[in-house]
Structures are given as C-alpha cells and as structure tokens.
C-alpha cells in the first residue's frame, strides 16, 4: 500500500513574489506572422529525424548553467524545472498551459543552443494506441527497456549511453533511461478517446478528459521513467508525448465558432486537492461534468525508473512550489504565472493561450 499524500495549499509564502500582469490575448494584434510548423514524428524524413535526435543529444551533452538542483546538462535543467513544479503542474487547471510553455522552452533551446533548425515533433499516439510495443516512434527512440533494470539498449538506441542525474522522482541518482512498455495502458490514446475529449464543451471537461485519458496513455504506455509524475522528462519521448497533448488542446481551442471563447477559457483548481499515488491524481469532478470515474488516472506502480514511493515525497531541499499571480484564490486564472526557473522567461497563462500570439508562434500539421 502506497502512502496517501495530501498537498496542502500554499498561501502567502514569501519565497517568491507574484508578478501578476493583466494581459488579454485578444486585446492586441499578434506579431506571429510566420509560425513554426510542428509535425508528427512518423511524417519526418530520415534527415529530419536525425536532426532532432542529434539536437536532443547535444542538449544532453551541453553543461547546464542555471544552478538547478541536480542538473548537470541543459537537458537535465528541463527535468529539474519539472521536478520543482510537478506538484502544481498536474491535476490542476494549468496542466495544459504549463506544459505548453515548457515544450516551447524545449523547442527554443534546441534551436538556440544546438543549432537545430527544425521544430518540436509530436507523437501521433492515436495511430499506436493499444500497440505501443510495435510503434515506429518508440523504435526510433530506442524501444522498450531490457531485462529487470529496464534500461533501453545501449547499442540500439541513440540515447542508450545517456546517464541521467535526476530521478526517479525527487531522488538524485545516476541512471539510464528506463522503459516498461504496456500496450493496454496506451489504449486511452485511441482516436475514439481523443474525439471524446475534443467534443467536451468546457475547458474543465476537456482538461479532465484529456489529462486522464490520452495523457495517461503516453505515460503508462511507455512506463518506468515516463510513469513517474515528477521526473518523467528524463525520457526524451516525454517531449513528443506532450506535444501530442498540446496539439489536442490547440485543436480543441481552434474549433469552429469556439475559438474566441476558448482562447480565454481557463479554470479549475490551482493546487492539487489530493494526490493519491495508489490510483493517481484525482481532479475535482468537472462542473456539470460527466467524466467517468471523476478523472482518475490508471494505477501507478513502483519498479525501475519509477522508484520507491518515498521518491515521490518532496525533500527539504526542493522548495515548496508557489502558485503565483492568483491573488490567493483557489482557481486557475489567466493571470497565473508559470514558473520556468530561467529556461525561458516566466509567462502568464494569458500570454500562451494562443499558439500564434506574441510569445508563441507555431502551428500543428
Ligand atoms: Cu508534466
């Protein structure tokens, strides 16, 4: 039996001052005239795939300089930011905005630090739902983990020799990239489940559906490292998975006749109400929502890459994450500030609602 942890809400802590700004995404003319085009991995040419993997390897081999806990490389710094923010980035209304900005930071850094001229690809998991084990995307990233340690192949994976310094969870340890692929867990990325989420009328309904279903599919389907809610960005597939989720949110926002409303629509609790590591984060049932089971993610489990239950308990040297810009309220608003610890400037949710605004400038193909 794993421990049940309640994350207390954090009010009035002096560690970080809120820097709330009032910005409406629709009140200005966007400066985005030439958006980057993000493509599905399976549609990339061999040269495009190689360029992305080479750029990620470059990030993994470039020393970090931000002083983030445990981070040796630029790649580790991304993982460190996720570790710092994991408590207030999942099972909360900023789940989609936080990961959108985080993905943008990753794409930007690949381009600025590693001379990458491509864009952040996504994994079209609707094509592989229920059969991750035979996915060509998984194969290109080194396939399933091997034997009991679940390390990916050192010879058959471009990332097989990478030694991570952060994880599992909050622990700092030197380890390989670990996977434990589960075809049944990947089923909830099916076209039917994604279409169901896209049919939701409100953000609260959409978010609960998409975080619990297609989101869980990618994490549970790849398993091990990817199953860890704190340290999952140690697996480079994390970025392709979350780009897939960001695309789903962008598709939902862009629906005909809804766009104007949905570029302003955010909400939900801004701190997790309860986090139960036995059966996953529980979101409050969305208002008027019909999400089956109240939005419960599939059971989590221990083991290689996932670590021990204690690895999910935030240690004293990781500061308690503060919700900034909410003026002490409990609800996620457009003024909430997403904290990036220097990988990119912090932004309010308002500023990244539109993927073709002043901060972001991309589209999905
Ligand atoms: Cu995350």
């Amino acid at each position: 039996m794993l421990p049940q942890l309640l994350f207390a809400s954090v009010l009035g802590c002096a560690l970080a001052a809120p820097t709330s700004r009032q910005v409406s995404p629709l009140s200005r003319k966007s400066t985005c005239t030439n958006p980057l085009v993000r493509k599905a991995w399976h549609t990339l040419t061999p040269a495009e795939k190689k360029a992305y993997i080479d750029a990620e390897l470059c990030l993994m081999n470039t020393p970090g300089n931000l002083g983030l806990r445990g981070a040796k490389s630029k790649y580790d710094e991304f993982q460190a930011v996720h570790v710092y923010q994991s408590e207030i980035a999942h099972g909360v209304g900023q789940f989609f905005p936080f990961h959108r900005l985080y993905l943008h930071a990753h794409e930007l850094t690949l381009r600025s630090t590693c001379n990458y001229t491509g864009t952040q690809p996504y994994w079209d998991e609707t094509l592989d739902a229920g059969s991750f084990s035979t996915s060509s995307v998984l194969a290109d990233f080194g396939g399933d983990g091997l034997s009991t340690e679940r390390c990916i192949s050192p010879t058959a994976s471009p990332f097989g020799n990478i030694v991570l310094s952060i994880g599992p969870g909050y622990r700092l340890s030197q380890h390989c990239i670990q996977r434990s692929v589960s075809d049944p867990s990947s089923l909830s990325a099916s076209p039917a489940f994604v279409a169901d989420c896209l049919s939701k009328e409100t953000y609260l309904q959409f978010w609960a559906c998409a975080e619990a279903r297609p989101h869980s599919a990618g994490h549970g389907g790849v398993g091990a490292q990817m199953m860890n809610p704190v340290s999952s960005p140690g697996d480079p597939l994390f970025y392709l998975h979350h780009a897939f989720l960001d695309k789903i949110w962008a598709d939902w926002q862009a629906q005909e006749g809804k766009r104007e409303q949905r570029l302003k629509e955010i909400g939900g609790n801004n701190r997790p109400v309860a986090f139960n590591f036995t059966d996953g984060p529980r979101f409050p049932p969305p208002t008027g929502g019909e999400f089956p089971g109240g939005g419960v993610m599939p059971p989590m489990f221990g083991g290689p890459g996932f670590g021990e239950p204690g690895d999910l308990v935030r240690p004293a040297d990781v500061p308690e994450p503060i919700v900034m810009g909410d003026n002490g309220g409990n609800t996620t608003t457009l003024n909430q500030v997403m904290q990036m610890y220097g990988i990119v400037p912090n932004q309010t949710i308002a500023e990244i609602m539109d993927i073709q605004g002043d901060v972001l400038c991309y589209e999905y193909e």
Side-chain angles (χ1 to χ4, degrees), residues 236-257:
L237 279 172
F238 176 97
Y239 296 94
L240 278 79
H241 170 54
H242 267 276
F244 167 63
L245 292 165
D246 184 56
K247 176 182 186 295
I248 294 174
W249 184 30
D251 287 348
W252 181 82
Q253 288 181 303
Q255 281 172 20
E256 181 127 27

Side-chain angles (χ1 to χ4, degrees), residues 36-56:
L36 295 180
V37 181
R38 293 185 178 178
K39 301 172 190 168
W41 179 264
H42 73 277
T43 69
L44 300 185
T45 65
E48 287 172 328
K49 289 180 179 178
K50 183 176 185 306
Y52 180 79
I53 285 172
D54 285 351
E56 197 78 289

Side-chain angles (χ1 to χ4, degrees), residues 82 86 89-90 95 98-99 102 215 219 229 232-233 238 242:
H82 196 267
S86 57
H90 308 96
F95 169 75
F98 174 85
H99 288 90
Y102 186 76
H215 172 239
H219 286 285
S232 51
F238 176 97
H242 267 276

